[in-house]
Amino acid sequence: MNRSANTNAVLLLLLCAFFWGASFPVGKHALGEVHALTLVIWRFAIAAACLFAFIKWKRIPIPELRAKQWLWVVGVSIVGVGGLNLGLFTGLAQTNASNGALIMALSPLTTSLIGSLLQRKLLTRGAVFSLVVCLSGALLVLTNGELKRLLSFEFNHGDQIIFLGMLCWSLYTYLTQGISRWMPMIPYTFIGMLAGLGVISVVAAFSAEAHPVQESLAISQIVLADLLFIGVFGTVGGYLLWISGVKQLGAANASLFFNFVPIFAALTAVTFGQNVTGLQLLGMAVVISGLLLPRLTHWRQQRFARMG
């Protein structure tokens, strides 16, 4: 593999992780002025517009699918894209950005667990190790280090909602692997943005708390910048960078960079004046260790095998 191309891919994936991580505190800041549903509508509208322009620029065709395939694509998108964003930004209104990023960092592991359950396959030893360590790190933060909260299942309501959103995203990620065999990813993502925009708009129409039109008319310039960042960089930019990195390094190697998301979220939260506790930093370190150690051990074994 070309070393220069690999270096560029690493930089692109780090930039992607930064965009995704920064979206948590940026979103938290925007929620001080707009409702979560209004934020998500803006995100989907901006992302759909950008992806539409990109598709036209690259002349990417929208494939012709059967009615059953369209139903499957839209249904999976509503659950995954709509469920993630509804859970994520509704939850962020009741918890902090670092907790949200930490919960989302469990997504790759949860996706593997869902795959094992649906395919009726046992997890590998490395996956079991990651599961135990990562859940320990996440529970350390979510219970604020208090064992009695764990025993009585007392968790922050916002954390619970984000966790449900993360499960929706993990299921979406797993199901997308099958869809990608007959649906190109960029048109698929564009359809996902439109499906998400539709379902969230319907939810907002029946919400007594969200007023997207009135809130948008009264929005401040700084929150407008927040929404543009989330839509352009945190959604479209991050996705295109991720695709580029995966093509060069492969999905397994690229997934490691997802571990930087909570780190960048914490660093960005500090610049916004949002509190990041020592316990949250410890929890992040435990989660990242649980995700990285099995991979590093596997690489080391492969290296020794080649040397032998």
Side-chain angles (χ1 to χ4, degrees), residues 17-287:
F18 168 73
F19 285 157
W20 283 346
S23 293
F24 287 90
V26 170
K28 178 71 174 179
H29 179 261
L31 289 172
E33 188 171 307
V34 299
H35 191 273
L37 295 177
T38 302
L39 189 157
V40 177
I41 289 173
W42 270 85
R43 181 183 194 181
F44 286 147
I46 294 170
C50 291
L51 281 173
F52 180 76
F54 184 80
I55 288 170
K56 288 296 183 181
W57 176 48
K58 290 290 187 178
R59 297 181 179 178
I60 301 173
I62 302 294
E64 295 183 4
L65 304 177
R66 300 189 302 271
K68 186 177 180 180
Q69 289 177 312
W70 276 116
L71 185 63
W72 184 242
V73 167
V74 173
V76 170
S77 297
I78 288 175
V79 172
V81 180
L84 165 69
N85 284 271
L86 184 62
L88 175 58
F89 291 104
T90 302
L92 273 179
Q94 303 175 52
T95 189
N96 57 59
S98 296
N99 276 26
L102 180 63
I103 295 169
M104 287 305 303
L106 298 174
S107 179
L109 187 62
T110 308
T111 302
S112 298
L113 182 60
I114 289 174
S116 296
L117 292 174
L118 293 181
Q119 296 174 15
R120 297 181 181 179
K121 293 181 179 179
L122 294 176
L123 291 172
T124 63
R125 291 181 180 179
V128 172
F129 172 83
S130 290
L131 180 63
V132 173
V133 174
C134 291
L135 285 179
S136 298
L139 289 173
L140 178 67
V141 175
L142 302 183
T143 61
N144 199 30
E146 298 178 13
L147 181 61
K148 63 180 181 180
R149 286 192 179 186
L150 177 60
L151 296 176
S152 59
F153 294 97
E154 292 180 9
F155 300 99
N156 180 293
H157 185 59
D159 293 335
Q160 295 176 28
I161 296 175
I162 294 177
F163 186 81
L164 291 176
M166 184 272 291
L167 290 179
C168 289
W169 178 254
S170 296
L171 181 61
Y172 169 83
T173 303
Y174 173 76
L175 295 175
T176 291
Q177 296 174 16
I179 293 175
S180 64
R181 297 170 188 164
W182 42 267
M183 179 77 168
M185 282 295 92
I186 290 180
Y188 174 56
T189 304
F190 173 63
I191 298 302
M193 294 297 107
L194 292 179
L197 178 60
V199 70
I200 298 299
S201 296
V202 171
V203 173
F206 288 94
S207 172
E209 299 177 355
H211 305 284
V213 176
Q214 295 90 323
E215 292 173 25
S216 298
L217 293 174
I219 203 169
S220 66
Q221 290 185 351
I222 189 168
V223 170
L224 177 61
D226 291 339
L227 299 177
L228 289 173
F229 176 88
I230 293 171
V232 176
F233 297 103
T235 306
V236 179
Y239 177 78
L240 295 179
L241 290 172
W242 181 259
I243 291 178
S244 179
V246 168
K247 285 182 178 178
Q248 180 63 28
L249 299 182
N253 291 332
S255 66
L256 296 177
F257 289 84
F258 202 92
N259 305 324
F260 288 95
V261 170
I263 296 175
F264 285 126
L267 293 175
T268 309
V270 172
T271 65
F272 274 85
Q274 298 171 15
N275 186 40
V276 178
T277 66
L279 189 63
Q280 287 173 329
L281 295 176
L282 176 60
M284 289 177 193
V286 172
V287 169

